[in-house]
Amino acid sequence: MSQMQNVERQLREMILGLEIGPGEKLTERWIEGRFGASRTPVRAALLRLETEGLVGRDGRGWTVSPINLAELEQIAVYREAVEVAALRLTCTHADGNAIDVIEAMLDSCDENTAREEWHRVGMDFHIELARLSGNEFLFRGVRDAMTRLSRARWLEVRDEAALGRAWAEHRAILAATRLGDADEAARRLSAHIVGSRDRLVTSLANDRRGLRARGFAVVAA
Amino acid sequence: MSQMQNVERQLREMILGLEIGPGEKLTERWIEGRFGASRTPVRAALLRLETEGLVGRDGRGWTVSPINLAELEQIAVYREAVEVAALRLTCTHADGNAIDVIEAMLDSCDENTAREEWHRVGMDFHIELARLSGNEFLFRGVRDAMTRLSRARWLEVRDEAALGRAWAEHRAILAATRLGDADEAARRLSAHIVGSRDRLVTSLANDRRGLRARGFAVVAA
DNA sequence: GATACCAGTTTGGTATCCCAAAATGGTATC
DNA sequence: GATACCATTTTGGGATACCAAACTGGTATC
């Protein structure tokens, strides 16, 4: 694999994994040294990650995008539009086998599963469901929105009960989709997204002090 | 302005203006010479234009994205989702003054207006309307979709009557939005987008031979 | 005539160098 | 102690050099 893709992938993982905190300054030379690549692939990676919203410009330099509560709310609205559209599309040509695969993803999580894995599967559920629509642009929209939400969701304080409820909602959405009941599926997905957004923003707003203490920049709604 | 932004802007204009045809090969060295910049800004520009879907990789090299009828149909579906969501949002806080500005854009076109200008205003109408939603992500979604549709719409064979009908639809959408009638506005916008898509794809499919004769790569639906 | 093969050229990927602007840090001044 | 000022360093933007892989055109072989 080329250096360019390597730097991009590794830097993205460090940002999403919060190994580099939201709001931290980045210098091209530091990245260069950190990954043993020269500046050309480093700059290519930064340009890509900028379009993903993971890094941004801070004057002349680069910054890991802070957690922005107002932005999170906007993303949730965008996500609802594209994900519901994708799901409605999927309902028009529901494929039982494909839905089985996604349901198996949910089943793969139990009480012994690491929290990190629940997190990842929770994202992939929505991404893979959107992929079933067959529409590349709706799919990308959902995937990009989930990427932008990823760090915030990881920071969210979630209890076991909340995760269980989310999983139940996922299953209900799948069930309606399997039946091709677009209205029911859309209704449940909308509720899921809105609820998810509210819990997320509330949790982060409440924990803002703690997040700042960890050195994470959090911008208010 | 920096070279990077310069190269990006000029190259984008050449591609959107069809000065470089869909499907044409690009070499970094040619661009370098054409705009008097070195490869560093050229590379940055290509990476950016790649995310806009205007250029793509062809093996190791670069290609101006061909007109892809299947893709155009998918983009229209995506666009409908985000643009309708944006419009519904706008209807919840309709601002008469802002709508006046957009209506003035429509008024600025008359029988003496160049076709190129009609084309530009037709795009900007949708983009500016989406901006009123106040949601950055819905706005970007609409803007990016319009960018991707731009070349195809320019190639579309459209008569005066079709343009007149489009303008009437635009005005009806604005009127419903001004009244805050979200359902009516959404219904009219959906119809406008679907009709627009059908005419576009039909026109291009019919004229495929002519387009190929001009050296434009057109991929079938 | 078709094909396999080879030398020369082109091209994108990468590394490195240079520069102007911005950030930094220390110092003199009040 | 606060502040204005200046020398130094750092940093991103750009230019260029180098390389390996891909492409090209021609040639020899069958």
Side-chain angles (χ1 to χ4, degrees):
Chain A
M1 176 178 304
S2 69
Q3 283 282 41
M4 189 183 86
Q5 293 168 328
N6 239 330
V7 174
E8 182 186 339
R9 192 173 40 76
Q10 294 190 62
L11 189 54
R12 184 189 294 110
E13 275 174 21
M14 284 190 74
I15 294 173
L16 290 179
L18 296 169
E19 295 174 55
I20 317 178
E24 262 183 63
K25 295 263 186 301
L26 286 175
T27 70
E28 296 183 354
R29 262 116 178 164
W30 179 83
I31 303 169
E32 192 181 355
R34 179 68 178 71
F35 299 111
S38 74
R39 288 181 67 203
T40 311
V42 166
R43 295 178 70 174
L46 284 170
L47 285 172
R48 284 252 166 74
L49 294 177
E50 186 185 19
T51 71
E52 292 182 39
L54 296 184
V55 303
R57 306 247 169 198
D58 171 49
R60 206 171 62 125
W62 297 95
T63 307
V64 177
S65 303
I67 304 285
N68 183 326
L69 297 185
E71 187 182 276
L72 292 178
E73 291 183 351
Q74 292 204 344
I75 291 174
V77 170
Y78 169 79
R79 176 191 163 193
E80 185 185 350
V82 290
E83 192 169 346
V84 167
L87 187 58
R88 283 187 175 279
L89 205 50
T90 302
C91 284
T92 66
H93 52 75
D95 169 4
N97 292 337
I99 293 180
D100 287 342
V101 172
I102 293 182
E103 189 139 32
M105 287 172 49
L106 296 179
D107 291 337
S108 75
C109 287
D110 56 31
E111 64 276 5
N112 297 322
T113 307
R115 177 156 171 260
E116 186 173 349
E117 183 69 3
W118 281 86
H119 182 251
R120 202 184 55 70
V121 172
M123 301 249 138
D124 284 349
F125 167 79
H126 292 281
I127 294 172
E128 293 307 316
L129 190 54
R131 193 199 299 276
L132 292 191
S133 71
N135 186 302
E136 179 70 15
F137 297 90
L138 292 174
F139 163 68
R140 283 188 213 163
V142 171
R143 189 195 53 192
D144 293 351
M146 295 310 289
T147 300
R148 284 180 134 99
L149 292 173
S150 173
R151 291 178 305 163
R153 287 165 63 95
W154 179 250
L155 289 172
E156 185 182 0
V157 182
R158 255 193 291 190
D159 53 23
E160 199 105 347
L163 275 178
R165 250 176 295 143
W167 245 241
E169 289 171 17
H170 289 169
R171 289 186 196 282
I173 292 166
L174 272 188
T177 304
R178 194 189 295 276
L179 296 174
D181 186 347
D183 288 337
E184 172 69 7
R187 194 163 31 240
R188 287 190 179 274
L189 178 57
S190 277
H192 177 67
I193 292 174
V194 171
S196 170
R197 177 202 62 188
D198 289 345
R199 282 190 298 274
L200 176 63
V201 173
T202 302
S203 167
L204 292 184
N206 286 341
D207 193 34
R208 224 175 121 187
R209 188 177 305 274
L211 294 173
R212 282 196 187 278
R214 292 171 66 182
F216 295 162
V218 180
V219 179
Chain B
M1 178 178 302
S2 68
Q3 284 281 41
M4 188 184 87
Q5 293 169 329
N6 239 331
V7 174
E8 181 186 340
R9 193 172 42 75
Q10 294 190 60
L11 189 55
R12 183 189 295 110
E13 275 173 22
M14 284 189 75
I15 293 174
L16 291 179
L18 296 168
E19 295 174 56
I20 317 177
E24 263 182 62
K25 294 264 189 298
L26 286 175
T27 70
E28 297 184 353
R29 258 107 179 173
W30 178 84
I31 302 170
E32 192 181 357
R34 179 68 177 69
F35 298 111
S38 75
R39 288 181 66 203
T40 310
V42 166
R43 222 135 206 299
L46 284 169
L47 286 171
R48 282 255 167 71
L49 294 177
E50 185 185 21
T51 71
E52 292 182 37
L54 296 184
V55 305
R57 306 247 167 197
D58 172 48
R60 204 171 63 126
W62 297 95
T63 309
V64 177
S65 302
I67 304 285
N68 184 326
L69 296 185
E71 187 181 276
L72 291 178
E73 292 182 351
Q74 291 204 344
I75 291 174
V77 171
Y78 169 80
R79 176 192 163 193
E80 186 185 350
V82 288
E83 193 169 347
V84 166
L87 188 59
R88 283 186 175 277
L89 206 50
T90 301
C91 284
T92 65
H93 52 75
D95 169 5
N97 292 336
I99 293 180
D100 287 342
V101 172
I102 293 183
E103 190 140 31
M105 287 173 49
L106 296 179
D107 292 336
S108 75
C109 287
D110 57 32
E111 64 275 5
N112 298 321
T113 306
R115 179 161 167 257
E116 186 172 348
E117 183 68 5
W118 281 85
H119 182 251
R120 200 184 56 71
V121 173
M123 301 249 138
D124 284 348
F125 167 80
H126 291 281
I127 293 173
E128 293 307 316
L129 190 53
R131 193 198 298 277
L132 292 191
S133 71
N135 187 301
E136 179 70 16
F137 297 89
L138 292 173
F139 163 68
R140 282 189 213 164
V142 171
R143 189 196 53 192
D144 294 351
M146 295 310 289
T147 300
R148 285 180 133 100
L149 291 172
S150 173
R151 292 178 304 164
R153 287 165 63 96
W154 179 249
L155 289 171
E156 184 181 1
V157 182
R158 255 193 291 191
D159 53 23
E160 199 105 349
L163 275 178
R165 247 176 297 143
W167 245 241
E169 289 171 16
H170 289 168
R171 289 186 197 283
I173 292 165
L174 272 188
T177 305
R178 195 189 293 277
L179 297 174
D181 186 345
D183 288 337
E184 173 69 7
R187 194 162 34 237
R188 287 189 180 273
L189 178 58
S190 277
H192 177 67
I193 292 173
V194 171
S196 169
R197 177 201 64 189
D198 289 345
R199 283 191 298 274
L200 176 65
V201 173
T202 303
S203 168
L204 291 183
N206 286 340
D207 192 34
R208 224 175 121 186
R209 188 176 305 273
L211 294 173
R212 282 197 187 278
R214 293 171 66 183
F216 296 161
V218 180
V219 179

